[in-house]
Amino acid sequence: SELFGREKGAFTGATERQVGRFELADRSTIFLDEIGDLPANAQVKLLRVLEERQIERLGNPKPIRVDTRIIAATHRDLEAAVPGGSFREDLFYRLNVFPIRLPSLRERVEDIPLLVWRYVTEFSETFGKKIETITSQTMAALQRYPWPGNVRELRNVVERAMIKSHGGELPIELPRPVLSSIHRSERLVDVETEHMRQVLDITRWRIRGANGAADRLGLRPTTLESRMAKLGLRRPTAAAG
């Protein structure tokens, strides 16, 4: 009823007619967030809208024509969800007309200082606090952190720091890493290999330059390349570019 509307009396509590989101977005654009979480029965209905460009209000079988541009977003890998049956293949290909991939925060560490100051400005107005400086050491630590929660996590971290701040300099505590329930090897060589692979993944296997893997690990690029060869670490084909 939220998407397609309802007629008065369509179900208990439907005391009046309601126009759905698609009808409101006729000759306009509708944004569907977290499309990967859509239940199977709703996926079928959405597919019909995409293919036939018409909807039916709940409680009224009369079709209503709609001309709506759909922008859908998800954090899930929908292509990988198709074989498992959690997302319809036909719907995936109907939605995947012009895909735009947004890189994760750990892939764009150069954006972190800009985002941090953007949030500082926002929360300064909210809390009535004036922040003048953030140390370079703090900012460097923020750029080294992998940010599994992406931009939302960064915003929460800055908000928490603003709540606790008492002065012009903003100290920011990084979140504690969540311990995985998966058993990990305690052998030094395995720990080193896993850590090195994580850093390489974060930098998209860029070894040299500022914020490259060698820079983050505190090694010379040639030393890192030598260690990678010894440990058998090779750049995945999909990461090559």
Side-chain angles (χ1 to χ4, degrees):
S1 65
E2 182 74 18
L3 290 175
F4 307 122
R6 66 171 186 248
E7 296 291 344
K8 182 179 179 180
F11 53 84
T12 303
T15 57
E16 60 184 18
R17 171 187 285 183
Q18 175 181 302
V19 176
R21 301 285 180 169
F22 272 97
E23 201 170 344
L24 288 171
D26 187 33
R27 298 187 180 183
S28 183
T29 301
I30 185 170
F31 173 63
L32 304 177
D33 198 7
E34 297 300 352
I35 195 73
D37 296 334
L38 200 64
N41 61 337
Q43 290 181 33
V44 175
K45 293 178 172 63
L46 178 58
L47 181 63
R48 182 185 178 191
V49 176
L50 289 167
E51 291 183 338
E52 302 179 9
R53 295 186 177 275
Q54 63 182 26
I55 63 169
E56 292 177 4
R57 290 199 194 114
L58 197 63
N60 187 346
K62 181 182 178 180
I64 301 171
R65 299 287 298 178
V66 290
D67 180 13
T68 305
R69 176 192 293 112
I70 295 177
I71 298 176
T74 181
H75 71 285
R76 300 182 184 276
D77 185 346
L78 295 186
E79 191 169 7
V82 168
S86 60
F87 201 82
R88 292 181 62 97
E89 183 178 21
D90 45 10
L91 179 57
F92 168 73
Y93 286 115
R94 291 295 284 116
L95 288 170
N96 197 42
V97 176
F98 196 93
I100 300 174
R101 179 185 178 274
L102 297 180
S104 62
L105 188 58
R106 62 177 172 268
E107 296 177 62
R108 293 294 302 271
V109 294
E110 65 272 17
D111 290 347
I112 289 177
L114 296 172
L115 287 167
V116 169
W117 280 110
R118 168 65 183 84
Y119 296 141
V120 166
T121 300
E122 175 187 345
F123 294 125
S124 292
E125 297 175 359
T126 302
F127 301 135
K129 296 180 178 180
K130 185 177 181 181
I131 300 299
E132 298 176 345
T133 60
I134 300 174
T135 67
S136 58
Q137 292 85 352
T138 296
M139 202 64 79
L142 292 173
Q143 290 182 298
R144 287 193 298 267
Y145 182 70
W147 299 108
N150 279 307
V151 176
R152 287 189 182 94
E153 185 182 15
L154 176 61
R155 187 179 188 276
N156 291 344
V157 166
V158 175
E159 182 178 12
R160 183 162 53 247
M162 290 291 295
I163 292 172
K164 297 169 65 176
S165 68
H166 298 284
E169 181 180 310
L170 183 66
I172 303 177
E173 296 180 13
L174 290 175
R176 293 182 179 180
V178 178
L179 296 177
S180 172
S181 60
I182 301 174
H183 175 73
R184 298 183 183 276
S185 171
E186 296 182 357
R187 295 174 62 227
L188 182 59
V189 66
D190 293 334
V191 172
E192 180 185 8
T193 302
E194 179 63 21
H195 178 60
M196 199 169 291
R197 182 182 288 108
Q198 288 179 355
V199 174
L200 287 163
D201 285 340
I202 290 171
T203 61
R204 303 185 72 180
W205 290 73
R206 182 170 62 86
I207 295 174
R208 301 170 184 273
N211 282 313
D215 183 41
R216 284 171 174 250
L217 290 166
L219 300 173
R220 292 182 179 180
T222 52
T223 302
L224 175 56
E225 289 168 343
S226 176
R227 292 296 300 158
M228 288 171 60
K230 184 176 180 180
L231 297 171
L233 284 171
R234 293 183 180 84
R235 183 175 185 173
T237 304

